[in-house]
Coordinates of all heavy atoms in Angstrom, one line a residue:
F1 N -41.4 27.5 25.4 CA -41.2 28.9 25.2 C -42.4 29.5 24.4 O -43.3 28.8 24.0 CB -39.8 29.2 24.5 CG -39.7 28.7 23.1 CD1 -40.1 29.4 22.0 CD2 -39.0 27.5 22.8 CE1 -39.8 29.0 20.7 CE2 -38.8 27.1 21.5 CZ -39.2 27.8 20.5
I2 N -42.4 30.8 24.2 CA -43.5 31.5 23.6 C -43.1 32.0 22.2 O -42.1 32.6 22.0 CB -43.9 32.7 24.5 CG1 -44.4 32.3 25.8 CG2 -44.9 33.6 23.8 CD1 -44.7 33.3 26.8
K3 N -44.1 31.9 21.3 CA -43.9 32.5 20.0 C -45.2 33.3 19.7 O -46.3 32.7 19.5 CB -43.9 31.4 18.9 CG -42.6 30.6 18.7 CD -42.7 29.7 17.5 CE -41.4 29.1 17.2 NZ -41.4 28.2 16.1
P4 N -45.0 34.6 19.8 CA -46.3 35.5 19.5 C -46.9 35.1 18.1 O -46.2 34.8 17.2 CB -45.7 36.9 19.6 CG -44.4 36.8 20.3 CD -43.9 35.4 20.0
E5 N -48.2 35.3 18.0 CA -48.8 35.1 16.7 C -48.2 35.9 15.6 O -47.9 37.1 15.8 CB -50.3 35.5 16.8 CG -51.2 34.5 17.5 CD -51.5 33.3 16.7 OE1 -51.6 33.4 15.5 OE2 -51.7 32.3 17.4
K6 N -47.9 35.3 14.5 CA -47.3 35.9 13.3 C -48.0 37.1 12.9 O -47.4 38.1 12.4 CB -47.1 34.9 12.2 CG -46.3 35.4 11.1 CD -46.1 34.3 10.0 CE -45.5 34.8 8.7 NZ -45.3 33.8 7.8
R7 N -49.3 37.2 13.0 CA -50.2 38.3 12.5 C -49.8 39.6 13.3 O -49.9 40.6 12.7 CB -51.7 37.9 12.6 CG -52.1 37.8 14.0 CD -53.6 37.4 14.0 NE -53.9 36.9 15.3 CZ -55.0 37.3 16.0 NH1 -55.8 38.1 15.4 NH2 -55.3 36.8 17.1
Y8 N -49.3 39.4 14.5 CA -48.9 40.6 15.2 C -47.6 41.2 14.8 O -47.3 42.3 14.8 CB -48.8 40.4 16.7 CG -50.1 40.1 17.4 CD1 -50.4 38.8 17.9 CD2 -51.2 41.0 17.4 CE1 -51.6 38.5 18.5 CE2 -52.4 40.7 17.9 CZ -52.6 39.5 18.5 OH -53.8 39.1 19.1
I9 N -46.8 40.3 14.2 CA -45.5 40.7 13.7 C -45.5 41.2 12.3 O -44.9 42.2 12.0 CB -44.5 39.5 13.8 CG1 -44.4 38.9 15.2 CG2 -43.1 39.9 13.3 CD1 -44.1 39.8 16.3
T10 N -46.4 40.6 11.5 CA -46.5 41.0 10.0 C -46.8 42.4 9.8 O -46.2 43.1 9.0 CB -47.6 40.2 9.4 OG1 -47.3 38.8 9.5 CG2 -47.7 40.4 7.9
D11 N -47.6 43.1 10.7 CA -48.0 44.4 10.5 C -47.4 45.3 11.7 O -47.8 46.4 11.9 CB -49.5 44.6 10.5 CG -49.9 45.9 9.9 OD1 -49.3 46.5 9.0 OD2 -50.9 46.4 10.5
I12 N -46.4 44.8 12.3 CA -45.9 45.6 13.4 C -45.2 46.9 13.0 O -45.1 47.8 13.8 CB -44.8 44.7 14.2 CG1 -44.6 45.2 15.6 CG2 -43.5 44.7 13.5 CD1 -43.9 44.3 16.6
E13 N -44.8 47.0 11.7 CA -44.2 48.3 11.2 C -45.3 49.4 11.2 O -44.9 50.6 11.5 CB -43.8 48.2 9.8 CG -42.6 47.2 9.7 CD -42.3 47.0 8.2 OE1 -42.9 46.2 7.6 OE2 -41.3 47.5 7.7
N14 N -46.5 49.0 11.0 CA -47.5 50.1 10.9 C -48.6 50.1 12.0 O -49.5 51.0 12.0 CB -48.4 49.8 9.5 CG -47.4 49.7 8.3 OD1 -46.6 50.5 8.1 ND2 -47.6 48.6 7.5
S15 N -48.5 49.2 12.9 CA -49.6 49.1 14.0 C -48.9 49.3 15.3 O -48.2 48.4 15.8 CB -50.3 47.7 13.9 OG -51.1 47.6 15.0
E16 N -49.2 50.4 15.9 CA -48.8 50.7 17.3 C -49.4 49.7 18.2 O -48.7 49.3 19.2 CB -49.0 52.1 17.7 CG -48.5 52.5 19.0 CD -46.9 52.3 19.1 OE1 -46.2 52.6 18.2 OE2 -46.5 51.9 20.2
S17 N -50.7 49.3 18.1 CA -51.3 48.3 18.9 C -50.6 47.0 18.9 O -50.4 46.4 19.9 CB -52.7 48.2 18.6 OG -53.0 47.7 17.4
N18 N -50.1 46.6 17.7 CA -49.4 45.3 17.5 C -48.1 45.4 18.3 O -47.6 44.5 19.0 CB -49.2 44.9 16.1 CG -50.4 44.3 15.5 OD1 -51.5 44.3 16.1 ND2 -50.3 43.9 14.2
R19 N -47.3 46.6 18.2 CA -46.1 46.8 18.9 C -46.3 46.7 20.4 O -45.6 46.0 21.1 CB -45.6 48.1 18.6 CG -44.7 48.2 17.4 CD -44.0 49.5 17.3 NE -43.8 49.8 15.9 CZ -42.9 50.6 15.4 NH1 -42.2 51.4 16.3 NH2 -42.7 50.8 14.2
C20 N -47.4 47.3 20.8 CA -47.7 47.3 22.3 C -48.0 45.9 22.8 O -47.4 45.5 23.9 CB -48.9 48.2 22.5 SG -49.4 48.4 24.1
I21 N -48.8 45.1 22.0 CA -49.1 43.7 22.4 C -47.8 42.9 22.5 O -47.5 42.2 23.5 CB -50.1 43.1 21.5 CG1 -51.4 43.7 21.6 CG2 -50.1 41.6 21.6 CD1 -52.4 43.4 20.5
V22 N -47.0 43.0 21.5 CA -45.7 42.2 21.4 C -44.8 42.7 22.6 O -44.1 41.9 23.2 CB -45.1 42.2 20.0 CG1 -43.7 41.5 20.1 CG2 -45.9 41.6 19.0
R23 N -44.6 44.0 22.8 CA -43.8 44.5 23.9 C -44.2 44.0 25.2 O -43.4 43.5 25.9 CB -43.9 46.1 23.8 CG -42.9 46.7 24.8 CD -43.0 48.2 25.0 NE -42.9 48.8 23.6 CZ -43.9 49.4 23.0 NH1 -45.1 49.5 23.5 NH2 -43.7 50.0 21.7
H24 N -45.5 44.0 25.4 CA -45.9 43.6 26.8 C -45.9 42.1 26.9 O -45.4 41.6 28.0 CB -47.3 44.1 27.1 CG -47.4 45.5 27.3 ND1 -46.9 46.1 28.4 CD2 -48.0 46.6 26.6 CE1 -47.1 47.4 28.4 NE2 -47.7 47.7 27.3
L25 N -46.1 41.3 25.9 CA -46.0 39.9 25.9 C -44.5 39.5 26.2 O -44.2 38.6 27.0 CB -46.5 39.3 24.6 CG -46.4 37.8 24.5 CD1 -47.2 37.1 25.6 CD2 -46.8 37.3 23.1
T26 N -43.6 40.2 25.4 CA -42.2 39.8 25.6 C -41.6 40.2 27.0 O -40.9 39.5 27.6 CB -41.3 40.3 24.5 OG1 -41.4 41.7 24.4 CG2 -41.7 39.7 23.1
N27 N -42.1 41.4 27.5 CA -41.7 41.8 28.8 C -42.2 40.9 29.9 O -41.4 40.5 30.8 CB -42.1 43.2 29.1 CG -41.4 44.3 28.3 OD1 -40.1 44.0 28.0 ND2 -42.0 45.4 28.1
M28 N -43.5 40.4 29.7 CA -44.0 39.4 30.7 C -43.3 38.1 30.7 O -42.9 37.6 31.8 CB -45.5 39.2 30.4 CG -46.2 38.3 31.4 SD -47.9 38.1 31.1 CE -47.9 37.3 29.5
A29 N -43.0 37.7 29.5 CA -42.2 36.4 29.3 C -40.9 36.5 30.0 O -40.3 35.6 30.7 CB -42.1 36.0 27.9
A30 N -40.2 37.7 29.8 CA -38.9 37.9 30.4 C -38.9 37.9 31.9 O -38.1 37.2 32.6 CB -38.2 39.2 29.8
E31 N -40.0 38.5 32.4 CA -40.1 38.5 33.9 C -40.4 37.1 34.5 O -40.0 36.8 35.6 CB -41.2 39.5 34.3 CG -40.8 40.9 34.1 CD -42.0 41.8 34.6 OE1 -42.7 41.5 35.5 OE2 -42.1 43.0 34.1
L32 N -41.0 36.3 33.7 CA -41.3 34.9 34.1 C -40.2 33.9 33.8 O -40.2 32.7 34.1 CB -42.5 34.5 33.4 CG -43.9 35.2 33.8 CD1 -45.1 34.8 33.0 CD2 -44.2 34.9 35.3
G33 N -39.1 34.4 33.1 CA -38.0 33.6 32.7 C -38.3 32.6 31.6 O -37.7 31.6 31.4
T34 N -39.3 33.1 30.7 CA -39.6 32.2 29.6 C -39.0 32.7 28.3 O -39.0 33.9 28.1 CB -41.2 32.2 29.5 OG1 -41.8 31.8 30.6 CG2 -41.6 31.4 28.3
S35 N -38.5 31.9 27.5 CA -37.9 32.2 26.2 C -39.0 32.6 25.2 O -40.1 32.2 25.3 CB -37.1 31.0 25.6 OG -36.1 30.7 26.5
V36 N -38.5 33.6 24.4 CA -39.4 34.1 23.3 C -38.7 34.0 22.0 O -37.6 34.4 21.8 CB -39.8 35.6 23.5 CG1 -40.7 36.1 22.4 CG2 -40.5 35.7 24.9
C37 N -39.5 33.4 21.0 CA -39.0 33.4 19.6 C -40.0 34.1 18.8 O -41.2 33.8 18.8 CB -38.9 31.9 19.1 SG -38.4 31.8 17.3
I38 N -39.5 35.1 18.0 CA -40.3 35.9 17.2 C -40.3 35.3 15.7 O -39.2 35.2 15.2 CB -39.9 37.4 17.1 CG1 -40.0 38.0 18.4 CG2 -40.8 38.2 16.0 CD1 -41.3 38.2 19.0
K39 N -41.4 34.8 15.2 CA -41.4 34.3 13.9 C -42.0 35.3 12.9 O -42.7 36.3 13.3 CB -42.2 33.0 13.8 CG -43.6 33.1 14.3 CD -44.2 31.7 14.3 CE -45.7 31.8 14.8 NZ -46.3 30.5 14.8
G40 N -41.7 35.2 11.7 CA -42.3 36.1 10.7 C -41.4 37.4 10.4 O -41.9 38.4 9.9
I41 N -40.1 37.3 10.6 CA -39.3 38.4 10.3 C -39.1 38.4 8.8 O -38.4 37.6 8.2 CB -37.9 38.3 11.0 CG1 -38.0 38.0 12.5 CG2 -37.0 39.4 10.7 CD1 -38.7 39.2 13.2
A42 N -39.7 39.4 8.2 CA -39.8 39.4 6.7 C -38.8 40.4 6.1 O -38.5 40.4 5.0 CB -41.2 39.7 6.2
N43 N -38.4 41.4 6.9 CA -37.5 42.4 6.4 C -36.7 43.1 7.5 O -37.0 42.8 8.7 CB -38.3 43.5 5.6 CG -39.3 44.2 6.5 OD1 -39.0 44.7 7.6 ND2 -40.5 44.3 5.9
K44 N -35.8 43.9 7.2 CA -34.9 44.6 8.1 C -35.7 45.5 9.1 O -35.3 45.5 10.3 CB -33.8 45.5 7.4 CG -32.8 46.0 8.3 CD -31.8 46.9 7.5 CE -30.8 47.6 8.4 NZ -31.3 48.5 9.3
N45 N -36.7 46.1 8.6 CA -37.5 47.0 9.5 C -38.1 46.2 10.6 O -38.1 46.7 11.8 CB -38.5 47.8 8.7 CG -37.8 48.9 7.8 OD1 -36.7 49.3 8.1 ND2 -38.6 49.2 6.8
I46 N -38.7 45.1 10.3 CA -39.4 44.3 11.3 C -38.4 43.8 12.3 O -38.5 43.8 13.5 CB -40.2 43.2 10.7 CG1 -41.4 43.7 9.9 CG2 -40.6 42.1 11.8 CD1 -42.1 42.7 9.1
R47 N -37.2 43.3 11.8 CA -36.1 42.8 12.6 C -35.6 43.9 13.6 O -35.5 43.6 14.8 CB -35.0 42.4 11.8 CG -33.8 41.8 12.6 CD -32.5 41.9 12.0 NE -32.1 43.2 11.8 CZ -31.1 43.6 11.0 NH1 -30.3 42.7 10.4 NH2 -30.7 44.9 10.8
D48 N -35.5 45.1 13.1 CA -35.0 46.2 14.0 C -36.0 46.5 15.1 O -35.7 46.9 16.2 CB -34.7 47.4 13.1 CG -33.5 47.2 12.2 OD1 -32.7 46.3 12.5 OD2 -33.3 48.1 11.3
I49 N -37.3 46.5 14.7 CA -38.3 46.8 15.7 C -38.3 45.7 16.8 O -38.3 46.1 18.0 CB -39.7 46.8 15.1 CG1 -39.8 48.1 14.2 CG2 -40.9 46.9 16.1 CD1 -41.0 48.2 13.3
V50 N -38.3 44.5 16.5 CA -38.4 43.4 17.5 C -37.1 43.3 18.3 O -37.2 42.7 19.4 CB -38.9 42.0 16.9 CG1 -40.3 42.2 16.3 CG2 -37.9 41.5 16.0
R51 N -36.0 43.8 17.7 CA -34.8 43.7 18.5 C -34.9 44.6 19.8 O -34.1 44.5 20.7 CB -33.6 44.2 17.7 CG -33.0 43.2 16.8 CD -31.8 43.9 16.1 NE -31.0 42.9 15.5 CZ -29.9 43.1 14.7 NH1 -29.6 44.4 14.4 NH2 -29.3 42.1 14.1
E52 N -35.8 45.6 19.8 CA -36.0 46.3 21.0 C -36.6 45.6 22.1 O -36.6 46.1 23.3 CB -37.0 47.5 20.6 CG -36.5 48.4 19.5 CD -37.6 49.4 19.1 OE1 -38.6 49.5 19.7 OE2 -37.3 50.1 18.0
F53 N -37.2 44.5 21.8 CA -37.9 43.6 22.9 C -37.0 42.6 23.5 O -36.0 42.2 22.8 CB -39.2 43.0 22.3 CG -40.1 44.0 21.6 CD1 -40.6 43.6 20.3 CD2 -40.4 45.2 22.1 CE1 -41.5 44.5 19.7 CE2 -41.2 46.1 21.3 CZ -41.7 45.7 20.2
P54 N -37.3 42.1 24.7 CA -36.4 41.0 25.3 C -36.8 39.7 24.7 O -37.7 39.0 25.1 CB -36.8 41.2 26.7 CG -38.2 41.7 26.8 CD -38.3 42.6 25.6
I55 N -36.1 39.4 23.6 CA -36.4 38.0 22.9 C -35.2 37.2 22.9 O -34.0 37.7 23.1 CB -36.9 38.3 21.5 CG1 -35.9 39.0 20.6 CG2 -38.3 39.0 21.5 CD1 -36.3 39.1 19.2
N56 N -35.3 35.9 22.6 CA -34.2 35.0 22.6 C -33.8 34.6 21.2 O -32.7 34.3 20.9 CB -34.5 33.8 23.4 CG -34.9 34.1 24.8 OD1 -36.0 34.3 25.1 ND2 -33.9 34.2 25.7
S57 N -34.8 34.6 20.2 CA -34.5 34.2 18.8 C -35.5 34.8 17.9 O -36.6 35.2 18.3 CB -34.4 32.7 18.7 OG -35.6 32.1 19.1
M58 N -35.2 34.8 16.6 CA -36.0 35.3 15.5 C -35.9 34.3 14.4 O -34.9 33.7 14.2 CB -35.6 36.6 15.0 CG -35.7 37.7 16.0 SD -35.2 39.4 15.3 CE -33.5 39.5 15.9
Q59 N -37.0 34.2 13.6 CA -37.0 33.4 12.4 C -37.8 34.1 11.3 O -38.7 34.8 11.7 CB -37.4 32.0 12.7 CG -38.8 31.9 13.1 CD -39.2 30.4 13.5 OE1 -38.5 29.8 14.4 NE2 -40.2 29.9 13.0
G60 N -37.5 33.8 10.1 CA -38.4 34.3 9.0 C -37.6 34.4 7.7 O -36.4 34.1 7.6
H61 N -38.3 34.8 6.7 CA -37.8 34.8 5.3 C -36.7 35.8 5.2 O -35.9 35.7 4.2 CB -38.9 35.1 4.3 CG -39.8 34.0 4.1 ND1 -40.5 33.8 3.0 CD2 -40.2 33.0 4.9 CE1 -41.3 32.7 3.0 NE2 -41.1 32.2 4.3
F62 N -36.6 36.8 6.1 CA -35.4 37.7 6.0 C -34.1 37.0 6.2 O -33.1 37.3 5.6 CB -35.6 38.8 7.1 CG -34.4 39.7 7.2 CD1 -34.3 40.7 6.2 CD2 -33.5 39.7 8.3 CE1 -33.2 41.6 6.3 CE2 -32.5 40.6 8.4 CZ -32.3 41.6 7.3
Y63 N -34.1 35.9 7.0 CA -32.9 35.1 7.2 C -32.7 34.0 6.2 O -31.6 33.8 5.8 CB -32.9 34.5 8.6 CG -32.9 35.6 9.7 CD1 -34.0 35.9 10.4 CD2 -31.7 36.3 9.9 CE1 -34.0 37.0 11.3 CE2 -31.7 37.4 10.9 CZ -32.9 37.8 11.6 OH -32.8 38.8 12.4
S64 N -33.8 33.3 5.8 CA -33.7 32.3 4.9 C -35.1 31.9 4.4 O -36.0 31.8 5.3 CB -33.0 31.1 5.5 OG -33.1 29.9 4.6
E65 N -35.3 31.6 3.2 CA -36.5 30.9 2.7 C -36.5 29.5 3.2 O -35.5 29.0 3.6 CB -36.5 30.9 1.2 CG -36.5 32.3 0.5 CD -37.8 33.0 0.7 OE1 -38.9 32.3 0.6 OE2 -37.8 34.2 0.9
P66 N -37.6 28.9 3.3 CA -37.7 27.5 3.8 C -36.9 26.6 2.9 O -36.9 26.8 1.7 CB -39.1 27.2 3.7 CG -39.9 28.5 3.7 CD -39.0 29.5 3.1
I67 N -36.1 25.8 3.5 CA -35.3 24.8 2.8 C -35.5 23.4 3.3 O -36.0 23.2 4.4 CB -33.8 25.2 2.8 CG1 -33.2 25.2 4.2 CG2 -33.5 26.5 2.1 CD1 -31.8 25.4 4.4
T68 N -35.2 22.4 2.4 CA -35.4 21.1 2.8 C -34.2 20.6 3.7 O -33.2 21.3 3.8 CB -35.4 20.1 1.6 OG1 -34.1 20.2 1.0 CG2 -36.4 20.5 0.6
L69 N -34.4 19.5 4.3 CA -33.3 19.0 5.1 C -32.0 18.7 4.3 O -30.9 19.1 4.7 CB -33.7 17.7 5.9 CG -32.7 17.0 6.7 CD1 -32.2 17.9 7.8 CD2 -33.2 15.7 7.3
D70 N -32.1 18.2 3.1 CA -31.0 18.0 2.3 C -30.3 19.3 1.9 O -29.1 19.4 2.0 CB -31.4 17.2 1.0 CG -31.8 15.8 1.2 OD1 -31.4 15.2 2.2 OD2 -32.5 15.3 0.3
E71 N -31.1 20.3 1.6 CA -30.5 21.6 1.4 C -29.8 22.1 2.6 O -28.6 22.7 2.5 CB -31.5 22.6 0.9 CG -32.1 22.3 -0.4 CD -33.3 23.1 -0.8 OE1 -34.1 23.4 0.1 OE2 -33.5 23.5 -1.9
L72 N -30.4 22.0 3.8 CA -29.7 22.5 5.0 C -28.4 21.8 5.2 O -27.4 22.4 5.5 CB -30.7 22.2 6.2 CG -30.1 22.5 7.6 CD1 -30.2 24.0 7.8 CD2 -30.8 21.7 8.6
M73 N -28.4 20.4 5.1 CA -27.1 19.6 5.3 C -26.1 20.1 4.3 O -25.0 20.2 4.7 CB -27.5 18.2 5.1 CG -28.4 17.7 6.2 SD -27.9 17.9 7.9 CE -26.5 16.7 8.0
Q74 N -26.5 20.3 3.0 CA -25.5 20.6 2.0 C -25.0 22.1 2.3 O -23.7 22.3 2.2 CB -26.2 20.7 0.6 CG -25.3 21.0 -0.5 CD -24.2 20.0 -0.8 OE1 -24.4 18.8 -0.5 NE2 -23.0 20.4 -1.2
K75 N -25.8 22.9 2.7 CA -25.4 24.4 2.8 C -24.6 24.6 4.1 O -23.6 25.4 4.1 CB -26.6 25.3 2.9 CG -26.4 26.7 3.0 CD -27.6 27.6 2.9 CE -27.3 29.0 2.8 NZ -28.6 29.9 2.7
Y76 N -24.9 23.9 5.2 CA -24.2 24.2 6.4 C -23.4 23.2 7.0 O -22.5 23.4 8.0 CB -25.3 24.6 7.5 CG -26.1 25.9 7.2 CD1 -27.4 25.8 6.7 CD2 -25.5 27.0 7.3 CE1 -28.0 27.0 6.4 CE2 -26.1 28.3 6.9 CZ -27.5 28.1 6.6 OH -28.1 29.3 6.2
F77 N -23.5 21.9 6.5 CA -22.7 20.8 7.1 C -21.9 20.0 6.2 O -21.2 19.1 6.7 CB -23.7 19.9 7.9 CG -24.5 20.5 9.0 CD1 -25.8 20.9 8.8 CD2 -23.9 20.8 10.2 CE1 -26.5 21.6 9.8 CE2 -24.5 21.4 11.2 CZ -25.9 21.8 10.9
S78 N -21.8 20.4 5.0 CA -20.9 19.7 4.1 C -19.5 20.4 4.1 O -19.4 21.6 4.3 CB -21.5 19.6 2.7 OG -21.5 20.9 2.1
E79 N -18.5 19.6 3.7 CA -17.2 20.2 3.7 C -16.7 20.7 2.3 O -17.1 20.4 1.3 CB -16.2 19.2 4.2 CG -16.4 18.9 5.7 CD -15.4 18.0 6.3 OE1 -14.3 18.0 5.8 OE2 -15.8 17.2 7.2

């Protein structure tokens, strides 16, 4: 699957050229049947912008700070 360079996402709020690049990359990937993961989602505005594109998943600090495997297991898999 494809992960666009994070530098295009980081400034996507202020850069029409970055939006254009990501839009065309994700459209091309969708036409080819390739999955796209957008990394670098740092805030709600960036999330809302990339939701406009044909993507399969997103990741970034907006959803969670990096955590260790032990923290992951404790947070999501313990009873």
Side-chain angles (χ1 to χ4, degrees):
F1 70 83
I2 294 174
K3 283 186 174 182
E5 284 285 326
K6 186 177 172 182
R7 65 186 166 130
Y8 295 117
I9 306 304
T10 302
D11 196 35
I12 203 166
E13 295 172 282
N14 305 311
S15 172
E16 186 57 40
S17 62
N18 283 3
R19 274 189 209 198
C20 183
I21 289 167
V22 175
R23 181 182 310 112
H24 287 291
L25 178 65
T26 57
N27 285 333
M28 182 177 64
E31 287 183 27
L32 295 171
T34 303
S35 298
V36 177
C37 176
I38 301 290
K39 57 184 180 178
I41 306 298
N43 60 50
K44 182 182 181 300
N45 292 336
I46 294 173
R47 183 205 60 192
D48 291 346
I49 291 167
V50 300
R51 276 184 168 175
E52 300 171 9
F53 308 138
I55 60 171
N56 303 89
S57 59
M58 295 182 259
Q59 65 186 51
H61 287 207
F62 178 70
Y63 296 105
S64 174
E65 295 292 321
I67 59 176
T68 66
L69 177 58
D70 288 339
E71 291 169 324
L72 175 80
M73 297 304 288
Q74 181 67 30
K75 186 173 184 177
Y76 295 106
F77 298 102
S78 66
E79 292 183 30

